[in-house]
Amino acid sequence: MGSGGMMGYTAEHPVWGRMDASLDDLGCGRTWVDVHRVKALRLACPECGGRVFARASQNGVRHFYHQVRPPDCELANESPEHHFLKLELAMTARAAGWRAELEVSSEAGDWRADVLVFDDQGRPFMALEAQLSPMTPAEARMRTDRYARDGVAVCWVGMQNRPWSRAVPTLRVTAPARGENAWAVRHGLARYTWAPRTLKAKATWEHITCPLGDALAWILQGDVRVHTAADGTVWWTAPAYEQRALERARMEAEAEAVRQEAAAQRLRGQIAAAGRRRRGAEQRALDRQAEHEERQAEHQRLAGFFQHTGFDPKAWEAFTQLVRSASGKAIVYGEQNPRYGNGLPVHARDRASAKGFTLAAVVCPDPHALTHWPENLDILVPDHTWLTRIRATATAPLRVAVLNPHTGRTTFEHIPPSAGPSPARRGS
């Protein structure tokens, strides 16, 4: 570029005002001839206020430069890549039909856009920032917010993958290769692919490549807009793709809600089943306790019977089971009755019957009280010792069932009076 190094595209004239070397009329109604190599012309740098001069590069790019590069002037020290990318952004925006000015600062001086694009009412609405120098994601967000406070959106344009490029709206571009004349967007524009539109089908955001001119036209026209992913990553996309992604997210949310409800229903079922099992176990424990207490009460009630007859209380439950099996009926024990030789009455009832209990048998009556024994009343004893005693004293025909609680065997006997023939025995 010659002495003084790279400079900016803008300069200030004390009368003509702001000049933009990229515009044919310099933005102030003048021509390049009016400023190029005019020695007496006083032009100032809008950044540092130092004197600048107009010239064109070997490639014909018009610009303004400091005769001596000031070390603290940002415009005077920008790289050639930044310089040409900035010009490309301005020219591309203009080719898309927009008014775009280079190196425009805010009225408060708290920002300066590389390229500022204006709407048809002459209001600035988007800054195009050529960002090639290092910058943190926090700084990128801060600078984006600073523009937003003045109602200006930003599209950051870089040439390398940087951490900040995922934090703010960005286009990553490449310069034209030899033999080409168009800059290309490699990253920052994405579409949502999902086909067929079912939850089983894979859905993903994929970045697309296109000419920089197409990308900026879409952005400036509002055909694409900023999309922020769930993880905070930012890119440009069309509203239709956002809607498609929203539809997928809604379907996934609904499916997840169904899964969660099914899981909750299963959990509720498991809790209810566990509750039923717990209540069942508690009820069974209560029933066992009640049965135990009932047996204890029954044993206490029958203590006199056990003492009188010598019946082993420990064998009573097994004996009772044999009584139920032998009778095939529901039974209850009455109270010892002298009428039946102080034996224990057994009252029975058919299980399917609604009628009351009737006297069906007597357990261990006194053998000496068996005279005039009712013919339909059975005698129940636990062993053959009792049977022998009854047989020796029988004065009337008797039916005796030997229900042995130790062996579980039952023997039925028909005993005639003691003077009669030997009894017929049958076992079961």
Side-chain angles (χ1 to χ4, degrees):
M1 299 298 294
S3 64
M6 186 62 71
M7 179 46 193
Y9 295 104
T10 55
E12 295 285 345
H13 186 273
V15 177
W16 301 336
R18 185 177 184 277
M19 295 182 176
D20 186 334
S22 67
L23 296 171
D24 291 339
D25 66 351
L26 304 183
C28 62
R30 296 288 174 172
T31 65
W32 187 246
V33 175
D34 294 329
V35 297
H36 189 222
R37 294 182 177 177
V38 179
K39 294 183 178 180
L41 194 67
R42 303 293 297 185
L43 299 177
C45 170
E47 173 75 11
C48 67
R51 188 175 183 183
V52 295
F53 302 89
R55 72 178 176 191
S57 69
Q58 295 176 352
N59 297 323
V61 178
R62 303 183 310 195
H63 62 279
F64 300 100
Y65 72 99
H66 291 81
Q67 193 168 29
V68 177
R69 179 185 297 182
D72 297 329
C73 180
E74 187 174 329
L75 289 177
N77 290 281
E78 68 182 14
S79 67
E81 292 83 1
H82 185 273
H83 187 81
F84 287 115
L85 177 56
K86 187 167 59 174
L87 178 62
E88 180 65 26
L89 293 175
M91 301 302 290
T92 302
R94 291 167 187 166
W98 300 88
R99 173 190 161 195
E101 296 184 6
L102 285 151
E103 302 164 359
V104 181
S105 298
S106 66
E107 292 182 3
D110 56 349
W111 53 260
R112 187 189 70 244
D114 286 338
V115 178
L116 190 62
V117 182
F118 298 80
D119 63 17
D120 55 5
Q121 302 297 318
R123 296 169 300 196
F125 75 94
M126 179 164 285
L128 304 177
E129 286 286 353
Q131 186 65 31
L132 304 182
S133 59
M135 179 172 61
T136 66
E139 183 182 358
R141 293 189 186 96
M142 179 189 69
R143 292 176 63 182
T144 300
D145 292 343
R146 187 182 298 158
Y147 277 110
R149 286 195 293 270
D150 290 341
V152 178
V154 189
C155 178
W156 298 88
V157 183
M159 299 182 69
Q160 292 180 315
N161 183 20
R162 303 289 190 186
W164 57 262
S165 65
R166 293 182 290 276
V168 290
T170 304
L171 295 178
R172 192 194 311 161
V173 299
T174 55
R178 181 172 296 180
E180 298 178 352
N181 56 13
W183 288 67
V185 173
R186 299 299 182 191
H187 197 274
L189 277 170
R191 63 185 168 210
Y192 192 73
T193 58
W194 176 29
R197 294 198 184 180
T198 64
L199 282 178
K200 292 184 178 180
K202 182 180 179 181
T204 184
W205 286 98
E206 58 181 22
H207 289 269
I208 61 175
T209 60
C210 67
L212 176 60
D214 291 345
L216 287 184
W218 296 335
I219 290 171
L220 295 173
Q221 292 165 9
D223 294 334
V224 297
R225 61 191 183 192
V226 176
H227 174 83
T228 304
D231 63 356
T233 303
V234 177
W235 58 76
W236 297 94
T237 193
Y241 293 130
E242 285 190 311
Q243 187 62 35
R244 189 176 300 174
L246 183 62
E247 180 185 349
R248 170 78 182 212
R250 187 180 299 114
M251 289 178 64
E252 290 176 344
E254 290 172 353
E256 180 61 24
V258 170
R259 286 193 294 269
Q260 290 183 358
E261 176 56 29
Q265 186 66 29
R266 287 193 299 272
L267 180 59
R268 287 192 292 269
Q270 292 167 359
I271 293 173
R276 289 192 297 270
R277 289 193 297 270
R278 185 188 67 255
R279 291 190 296 273
E282 291 171 350
Q283 186 60 50
R284 287 190 295 273
L286 290 173
D287 291 343
R288 287 193 297 269
Q289 179 63 26
E291 290 173 2
H292 176 70
E293 293 175 355
E294 184 177 337
R295 285 194 299 270
Q296 284 187 322
E298 182 73 352
H299 277 231
Q300 290 177 355
R301 183 179 75 85
L302 299 177
F305 167 76
F306 296 147
Q307 185 177 4
H308 173 73
T309 60
F311 200 108
D312 182 6
K314 296 179 181 179
W316 184 248
E317 295 299 327
F319 180 81
T320 298
Q321 290 296 330
L322 292 173
V323 174
R324 291 195 180 100
S325 297
S327 67
K329 300 177 180 180
I331 64 166
V332 294
Y333 294 110
E335 300 292 339
Q336 284 182 273
N337 194 328
R339 182 180 178 183
Y340 304 111
N342 282 323
L344 195 67
V346 179
H347 301 276
R349 183 187 70 185
D350 288 336
R351 291 187 176 88
S353 173
K355 296 180 179 180
F357 287 85
T358 59
L359 183 62
V362 177
V363 181
C364 297
D366 184 351
H368 299 289
L370 297 180
T371 58
H372 308 295
W373 192 259
E375 292 184 2
N376 63 341
L377 196 58
D378 293 337
I379 297 173
L380 309 180
V381 295
D383 53 44
H384 282 81
T385 299
W386 270 91
L387 178 64
T388 300
R389 292 170 58 194
I390 291 174
R391 182 183 290 120
T393 58
T395 59
L398 301 174
R399 294 196 306 270
V400 180
V402 181
L403 311 176
N404 192 320
H406 301 291
T407 64
R409 289 182 59 82
T410 300
T411 303
F412 296 95
E413 299 281 353
H414 290 277
I415 299 177
S418 57
S422 298
R425 175 176 296 179
R426 60 186 176 87
S428 66

